[in-house]
């Protein structure tokens, strides 16, 4: 491995396992093309819901609710009409390809040009959720605009050369926007 790659990989590793304190920029992998953090936070409470009126996004809304429950112990209900404190999923044809936008104000909105773009936006949203010392969940008020820099994105987790906890690597880290993953199981 070239010595130029080591600092980049180390920085990525630190970001994956960093604990973000409220008030700091969210730790997002990959870092979005445009991000603007505003003052304030949106609290996610047991009354927060995931809202979509688009039938094609209903399965994604259910997946997002399950991921929030698995990561944070709070399972938002699915709903059709938004109110303050909700997460809103929407397909926006004005966004092309996998371009997406996450905007957190009085609701957390995720818009994308298609299903995959909205799914990538939900991965970004999940990474931005923070649990305070009192275990209350919140999102920083932020506007994120992003799209993949490359058509093919992936990660390979090499478990052959070092002891790795598969549970920690696969389920204990924040979701990241990758299209392909592979596991290396042998030494060669």
């Amino acid at each position: 491995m070239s010595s130029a790659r080591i600092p980049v990989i180390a920085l990525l590793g630190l970001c994956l396992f960093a604990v973000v304190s409220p008030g700091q920029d969210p730790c997002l992998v990959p870092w979005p093309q445009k991000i603007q953090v505003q003052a304030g936070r949106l609290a996610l409470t047991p009354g927060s819901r995931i809202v979509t009126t688009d039938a094609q996004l209903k399965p994604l809304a259910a997946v997002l609710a399950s991921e929030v429950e698995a990561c944070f112990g709070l399972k938002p209900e699915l709903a059709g009409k938004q109110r303050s404190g909700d997460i809103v999923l929407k397909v926006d044809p004005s966004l092309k390809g996998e371009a997406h936008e996450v905007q957190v104000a009085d609701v957390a909105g995720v818009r994308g040009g298609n299903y995959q773009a909205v799914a990538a936006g939900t991965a970004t949203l999940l990474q931005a959720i923070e649990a305070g010392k009192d275990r209350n969940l919140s999102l920083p008020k932020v506007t994120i605009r992003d799209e993949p820099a490359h058509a093919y994105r992936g990660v390979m987790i090499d478990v052959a050369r070092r002891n790795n906890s598969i549970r920690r690597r696969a389920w204990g880290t924040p979701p990241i926007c990758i299209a392909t993953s592979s596991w290396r199981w042998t030494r060669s």
Side-chain angles (χ1 to χ4, degrees), residues 73 88 106 116 121 166:
V88 181
D106 62 328
Q116 283 77 16
I166 293 173

Side-chain angles (χ1 to χ4, degrees), residues 165-185:
S165 165
I166 293 173
R167 175 178 287 271
R168 179 167 172 82
R169 293 287 185 236
W171 297 280
T173 60
I176 58 175
C177 301
I178 57 172
T180 304
S181 63
S182 66
W183 292 79
R184 180 183 174 122
W185 294 95

Side-chain angles (χ1 to χ4, degrees), residues 57-73:
L57 294 178
K58 290 191 187 293
L60 180 59
V63 168
L64 179 58
S66 296
E67 289 174 337
V68 170
E69 181 182 32
C71 292
F72 303 104

Side-chain angles (χ1 to χ4, degrees), residues 1 3 8 12-13 19 44-45 55 62 71 84 89 105 108 111-112 127 130 141 143 147 149 160 169 174 184-185:
M1 178 182 306
S3 60
V8 172
L12 176 63
V19 176
L44 296 177
T45 67
C71 292
S84 184
L89 308 180
R111 299 180 312 126
Q127 291 181 68
E130 300 169 9
K141 292 194 175 181
T143 300
E147 64 183 298
R169 293 287 185 236
R184 180 183 174 122
W185 294 95

